[in-house]
Amino acid sequence: MDPVGTFGQLLYTTTLLERRLGRGLEESCDLPHTWFEILLHLERSPDRRMTIGDLGRGVLLTSGGITRLIDRMVVAGLVAREACPSDRRVQWVVPTPSGRKRLSEALKVHVGNVDELITNRLSDAELRTLLTLLGKITPEFTE
Amino acid sequence: MDPVGTFGQLLYTTTLLERRLGRGLEESCDLPHTWFEILLHLERSPDRRMTIGDLGRGVLLTSGGITRLIDRMVVAGLVAREACPSDRRVQWVVPTPSGRKRLSEALKVHVGNVDELITNRLSDAELRTLLTLLGKITPEFTE
DNA sequence: TAAGATTGAATGTTCAATCTTT
DNA sequence: AAAGATTGAACATTCAATCTTA
């Protein structure tokens, strides 16, 4: 076994996978993969809203990075900022109706692409195993 | 099972892993992770040399990206360009003695860090399984 | 003092166009 | 024509500093 090689392989495969799935999303839905991730996080969060900070931690961006990403999505009309009444330092981010519509369209395409690249190549048991192994690697970050 | 979620988890874990290992390399050896990858590719290739193009494909960079990355490593004295006598379009990249020394130092640190984050958390069998699953996902890119 | 968010400067990458050699 | 490498422009990100509110 070569752990360094395994890590290299993990990085290589994941980068390739992200690139392909990102390309698919971009070409079919004109939606960058990062934007898709933001919309998905919002959709899955309670009350369908998150603070800028939590969103940044969720997608592994620095505060500066997430601020500007949200800027661009606001300009594109996919999300909106909302003041938080109880703590005026924080900004809520909420999807617009248009943003939610774009997500649901993108989700159809994306599920198909993920199926093609992952599900069709792995059994259910293998998928579960993969998830378990990933969880062991970064236990503190896994739900 | 949620394939989209699995992909998200894969991306999340790998990004986190790369960030931590990259940080470790940077702090202990003052060597960016990408530079380490280049030096490792060169060290493991026959004749210890690769063309700019193959190197770019190996680390998943565009031709413009790899050209500039090698530029910076040349300035830092870790690699050198060498003309190819048989085809004057191609440039060989070879590590300098200093580059090889830096790699061997970095490798010690990196192996330790990979052990801590991966090997210590996974059995040999699990490591093999992980590698196998990754291979199934992108068969055409796996040696 | 600290936390959340934003801004300016710098960085490393992609994309498209270009140059040289085959 | 096509392949290998490089260049200019654009872009998204990080880092460090800053502003506002708690």
Side-chain angles (χ1 to χ4, degrees), chain A residues 50-135:
Chain A
M50 290 178 74
T51 68
I52 289 264
D54 285 340
L55 219 31
R57 282 180 283 277
V59 299
L60 296 176
L61 284 181
T62 60
S63 61
I66 187 68
T67 291
R68 278 154 167 135
L69 176 50
I70 296 303
D71 284 347
R72 298 193 297 275
M73 292 184 71
V74 167
V75 170
L78 300 184
V79 300
R81 282 187 170 86
E82 249 180 48
C84 172
S86 63
D87 185 340
R88 283 184 300 178
R89 289 172 305 179
V90 342
Q91 293 280 321
W92 289 108
V93 181
V94 297
T96 62
S98 151
R100 296 193 65 201
K101 186 149 171 271
R102 290 285 292 284
L103 174 64
S104 84
E105 290 161 4
L107 219 28
K108 288 178 205 139
V109 175
H110 193 244
V111 167
N113 291 342
V114 170
D115 275 350
E116 185 194 332
L117 286 173
I118 302 185
T119 318
N120 288 351
R121 304 181 182 201
L122 258 40
S123 71
D124 261 26
E126 286 172 329
L127 204 59
R128 266 194 302 276
T129 303
L130 179 57
L131 214 46
T132 305
L133 294 179
L134 293 175

Side-chain angles (χ1 to χ4, degrees), chain A residues 1-3 7 11 14 16 19-21 33 44 60 119 121 126 128 136-137 139-142, chain B residues 1-3 7 9 11 14 16 19-21 33 44 60 119 121 126 128 136-137 139-141:
Chain A
M1 282 297 95
D2 169 15
F7 169 62
L11 207 57
T14 308
L16 222 42
R19 202 166 289 192
R20 293 218 196 154
L21 290 169
H33 181 239
R44 290 181 170 179
L60 296 176
T119 318
R121 304 181 182 201
E126 286 172 329
R128 266 194 302 276
K136 287 195 180 191
I137 293 179
E140 64 272 36
F141 293 99
T142 308
Chain B
M1 280 298 94
D2 168 17
F7 170 60
Q9 185 74 15
L11 208 57
T14 308
L16 221 44
R19 204 165 287 193
R20 293 220 197 152
L21 290 170
H33 181 238
R44 290 180 170 180
L60 296 175
T119 318
R121 305 181 180 200
E126 286 172 328
R128 266 194 302 275
K136 287 193 182 193
I137 293 179
E140 65 273 35
F141 294 101

Side-chain angles (χ1 to χ4, degrees), chain B residues 12-109:
Chain B
Y12 185 82
T13 303
T14 308
T15 303
L16 221 44
L17 214 43
E18 187 192 9
R19 204 165 287 193
R20 293 220 197 152
L21 290 170
R23 198 84 71 171
L25 231 30
E26 189 86 50
E27 286 174 1
S28 330
C29 311
D30 196 32
L31 195 68
H33 181 238
T34 45
W35 294 26
F36 171 81
E37 284 289 333
I38 295 293
L39 292 171
L40 192 58
H41 274 261
L42 291 175
E43 194 69 27
R44 290 180 170 180
S45 69
D47 238 17
R48 214 177 291 129
R49 64 179 54 224
M50 290 178 74
T51 68
I52 289 266
D54 285 340
L55 220 30
R57 282 180 284 277
V59 299
L60 296 175
L61 285 181
T62 60
S63 61
I66 188 67
T67 292
R68 278 153 167 135
L69 175 50
I70 296 303
D71 284 347
R72 299 192 294 275
M73 292 184 71
V74 167
V75 170
L78 301 184
V79 300
R81 282 186 171 86
E82 250 181 47
C84 172
S86 63
D87 184 342
R88 281 183 303 177
R89 289 173 305 179
V90 342
Q91 293 280 321
W92 289 109
V93 181
V94 297
T96 62
S98 152
R100 298 192 64 200
K101 186 148 171 272
R102 290 286 292 285
L103 174 64
S104 84
E105 288 160 6
L107 218 30
K108 286 178 206 138
V109 175

Side-chain angles (χ1 to χ4, degrees), chain A residues 7-27:
Chain A
F7 169 62
Q9 186 74 14
L10 181 61
L11 207 57
Y12 185 82
T13 302
T14 308
T15 303
L16 222 42
L17 214 42
E18 188 192 10
R19 202 166 289 192
R20 293 218 196 154
L21 290 169
R23 197 84 71 170
L25 230 29
E26 188 86 49
E27 285 174 3

